[in-house]
Amino acid sequence: MSRICELTGKGRMVGHNVSHANNKTKRVFLPNLQNVTLMSEKLDRSFKLRVSTAGLRSVEHVGGLDNWLIKTGEEKLSARAAKIKRELHKAAA
């Protein structure tokens, strides 16, 4: 399973561990991913997603999963989240 947030697209970053002697060794910074269940008010059902904590705060800030998906472009979303977004557009029509 890849370590990428399904809503924000945030993934791993590569950097260095730097010792006191300024020796640099490669390391990986991983996002803080959580398995959460988010409720869609318009579709009246819940979805299990793997979301970073920063992404979860962003979803709450804009007013829920429906508003987040409408606002966010599909290139950032995972395939599952993009499918939910398409379902939202069908329900609105």
Side-chain angles (χ1 to χ4, degrees):
M1 181 178 286
S2 64
R3 297 181 185 260
I4 297 175
C5 176
E6 292 191 271
L7 295 180
T8 62
K10 181 181 283 197
R12 67 186 201 131
M13 292 178 62
V14 178
H16 289 98
N17 281 330
V18 181
S19 69
H20 186 68
N22 205 26
N23 297 328
K24 295 175 182 73
T25 57
K26 287 280 196 174
R27 65 154 299 176
V28 176
F29 295 94
L30 298 174
N32 185 5
L33 295 178
Q34 305 294 326
N35 293 315
V36 295
T37 302
L38 296 172
M39 184 72 184
S40 170
E41 290 88 20
K42 293 180 183 174
L43 297 177
D44 197 33
R45 58 182 280 223
S46 59
F47 298 95
K48 282 187 146 185
L49 298 170
R50 195 160 189 224
V51 183
S52 66
T53 53
L56 193 56
R57 290 180 64 214
S58 299
V59 169
E60 293 298 322
H61 180 74
V62 297
L65 179 64
D66 297 339
N67 292 338
W68 174 263
L69 290 173
I70 291 168
K71 178 184 84 74
T72 307
E74 282 205 30
E75 64 277 354
K76 276 190 172 181
L77 300 173
S78 69
R80 288 173 51 198
K83 183 179 176 198
I84 298 168
K85 182 175 181 166
R86 288 190 296 274
E87 287 179 25
L88 276 172
H89 284 299
K90 284 182 187 175

